[in-house]
Amino acid sequence: MPLMITRRAALVGVATPFVLAAIPANRAIAVTPIRQARRDFRILRDGDDIGRHTMIARRDGSRLTVEIDIAIAVKILGITAYRYELKNREVWEDGRIHSIDSRVNDDGDNGFCRVRREADILMVEGSGYSGPAPVDAATTSYWTADFLTRGVWISTQSGQPLTVSATDQGAETIATGAGDVQAQRWRISGDLELELWYDAAGDWTANAFDAGGETGRYRLEAGSQGFNALWAASLSG
């Protein structure tokens, strides 16, 4: 959860007619489902490049593991005035959190979030909260639009359960490293205030947030892969 100075069909290969003609009729075509994807963002503050946000998802049946790495450094006259680092590993099973292990260095202040699912409840141990949370909670990792339907998000920085609501603000054209894309803008309010954009596939495409009096933005990097197909496949096992 960066700067608190402030996701359904599995993809398959498509053979061209030429290739199909070259395959004997009695040979079955083996299709290997996609089981891993990587998504990268560049983080900007008032237009200046201040960091990177990398996410890697791996699916094994109904289990989806997402590893997140954030590194931010705000420099003034060449001197680092603010630094933020987060490393987070989320394991989801059947659409619910199985575990979270996250550690944060927020400009020298250390935070953490550890979550384990126990039957029909999540038990949280964090630097800002320890106790139960709803089993269907989402996280402040944002990577699927499905999170928008969940009223509680667990802060991966502190473990704090955040009560939020999402309001559709309409479609917009978003600039990415691979060109412009159409995305839906959502206003998140409640215990967390920011804006999130998701593309037609339900993948997180951008966000905007307060960054110490300036506007912080995420810009999706070229070559980034979609997560939502993996997420959908994990829901069906």
Side-chain angles (χ1 to χ4, degrees):
M1 177 180 166
L3 284 185
M4 301 300 282
I5 67 172
T6 160
R7 33 201 184 77
R8 224 174 192 103
L11 301 179
V12 298
V14 179
T16 66
F18 175 82
V19 173
L20 286 173
I23 299 175
N26 62 347
R27 295 272 311 270
I29 302 173
V31 177
T32 302
I34 294 176
R35 296 187 180 277
Q36 179 171 316
R38 174 172 174 149
R39 204 159 177 86
D40 294 280
F41 292 91
R42 180 166 45 155
I43 306 171
L44 307 172
R45 177 177 183 265
D46 195 28
D48 295 331
D49 189 335
I50 62 169
R52 296 288 185 273
H53 183 131
T54 297
M55 304 186 299
I56 298 174
R58 299 180 178 88
R59 183 179 74 86
D60 182 7
S62 63
R63 178 167 290 195
L64 187 69
T65 301
V66 181
E67 296 184 6
I68 300 165
D69 194 338
I70 305 173
I72 296 170
V74 178
K75 295 186 177 182
I76 299 176
L77 299 177
I79 299 173
T80 300
Y82 174 82
R83 186 180 300 278
Y84 182 99
E85 298 168 335
L86 176 147
K87 291 186 181 297
N88 176 27
R89 184 176 187 270
E90 301 180 0
V91 180
W92 294 73
E93 193 161 20
D94 298 321
R96 291 178 169 180
I97 295 169
H98 177 77
S99 64
I100 301 173
D101 291 281
S102 179
R103 291 198 171 275
V104 179
N105 173 7
D106 187 356
D107 207 32
D109 292 331
N110 295 321
F112 70 96
C113 173
R114 182 180 183 274
V115 179
R116 296 294 183 269
R117 190 167 80 198
E118 298 181 5
D120 291 328
I121 199 168
L122 298 176
M123 292 306 299
V124 182
E125 180 184 0
S127 52
Y129 171 83
S130 291
V135 72
D136 61 348
T139 71
T140 53
S141 298
Y142 316 135
W143 44 264
T144 172
D146 281 5
F147 286 4
L148 297 171
T149 66
R150 306 191 183 194
V152 174
W153 294 1
I154 296 175
S155 166
T156 58
Q157 177 165 315
S158 69
Q160 181 70 43
L162 306 172
T163 301
V164 300
S165 61
T167 305
D168 189 348
Q169 302 292 297
E172 294 183 359
T173 300
I174 299 296
T176 75
D180 292 347
V181 301
Q182 283 292 112
Q184 207 76 9
R185 178 164 65 97
W186 294 83
R187 175 67 181 172
I188 309 304
S189 57
D191 292 335
L192 181 65
E193 302 281 340
L194 79 160
E195 292 180 320
L196 298 168
W197 285 259
Y198 294 89
D199 65 16
D203 280 307
W204 176 32
T205 304
N207 71 321
F209 53 95
D210 177 66
E214 303 288 351
T215 299
R217 297 186 181 276
Y218 272 41
R219 181 183 175 97
L220 186 66
E221 295 279 67
S224 291
Q225 301 161 310
F227 271 30
N228 222 37
L230 286 173
W231 168 249
S234 74
L235 298 179
S236 61

